[in-house]
Amino acid sequence: MNKLQLNKLQRKLLLILISLPLVLLSACSSTPKNDYDLSYDFASLKSFSQVTPPANNDPLSASRIQLAIETALASQGFIKQDTNPDFNVTYGFKVEDKPKDSGFSIGLGTGSWGSSGGASIGTSVDVPVGSDTAKIQTIQIDIIDPETNKLVWRGSDKFTFDDGGQAKAEETNATVAKILAQFPPQKTAD
């Protein structure tokens, strides 16, 4: 392998090493899931009321989720109305510990085979990630018909956090907004 080929290979390896963390970070984001009553008329919904779930052991998260729901629905044009709303909205959440990997390794290599001989270059990088566990908060939002008290739409998503405070509050807002961006469901033409 001559010097020019080696320089090109080094540039390609450097580009891969630089872009890999961006690819890995984008793979960490989740996609909200939802399900709904196929026969329900979502087009007529204009106003909502929040139903507070039973007390839990994390009032900070509960308060953040409630405010995020109200903000997300208002930004979509729904009006908060405590009496005679078109739909009720409630939520649930849980926090779990999930073991984290201590790091990840990247192995890169190249070579040639055949009459031109063989050459290879390889490297491995171990990047420490932090503590051994991460906290995962799952949020579930339910839309309930106030006349029948039946569930008509449910959405959920989760996010990972290490500490509370501002970062967790921002993740809560973003997660609730992603969930409710799928509400009301858009029916596709048959």
Side-chain angles (χ1 to χ4, degrees):
M1 184 177 291
N2 66 33
K3 232 178 182 178
L4 183 60
Q5 288 176 319
L6 189 59
N7 284 340
K8 285 182 180 180
L9 180 61
Q10 287 173 335
R11 280 185 272 165
K12 285 181 183 179
L13 288 174
L14 182 60
L15 180 62
I16 291 170
L17 285 173
I18 290 171
S19 62
L20 187 60
L22 296 174
V23 171
L24 291 174
L25 285 175
S26 67
C28 292
S29 76
S30 63
T31 302
K33 312 242 180 316
N34 72 70
D35 195 9
Y36 58 92
D37 181 341
L38 297 174
S39 63
Y40 193 78
D41 178 18
F42 292 95
S44 65
L45 301 180
K46 306 281 184 254
S47 62
F48 71 95
S49 177
Q50 283 205 49
V51 177
T52 307
N56 60 60
N57 62 355
D58 189 354
L60 286 174
S61 288
S63 177
R64 287 176 182 147
I65 293 168
Q66 256 182 291
L67 182 59
I69 288 171
E70 188 174 325
T71 303
L73 288 174
S75 73
Q76 292 180 31
F78 294 107
I79 300 164
K80 185 176 181 185
Q81 181 175 311
D82 293 330
T83 57
N84 299 321
D86 295 327
F87 66 94
N88 290 327
V89 59
T90 190
Y91 63 91
F93 68 96
K94 67 180 177 180
V95 176
E96 301 172 295
D97 286 330
K98 177 185 171 193
K100 282 200 293 190
D101 295 332
S102 61
F104 62 92
S105 297
I106 304 166
L108 303 171
T110 184
S112 61
W113 185 265
S115 62
S116 62
S120 71
I121 297 173
T123 184
S124 177
V125 178
D126 188 37
V127 180
V129 178
S131 67
D132 351 352
T133 61
K135 298 226 180 269
I136 298 175
Q137 181 162 328
T138 303
I139 299 173
Q140 176 180 295
I141 300 173
D142 291 341
I143 304 297
I144 299 165
D145 182 298
E147 291 180 20
T148 63
N149 208 30
K150 289 187 178 179
L151 177 70
V152 295
W153 185 90
R154 172 173 282 167
S156 65
D157 198 5
K158 59 187 169 188
F159 64 91
T160 303
F161 67 96
D162 288 319
D163 293 318
Q166 186 65 34
K168 185 178 177 194
E170 289 171 4
E171 280 295 325
T172 299
N173 290 338
T175 301
V176 167
K178 281 193 324 186
I179 295 168
L180 288 174
Q182 298 180 346
F183 175 80
Q186 305 301 313
K187 293 191 177 188
T188 58
D190 292 328

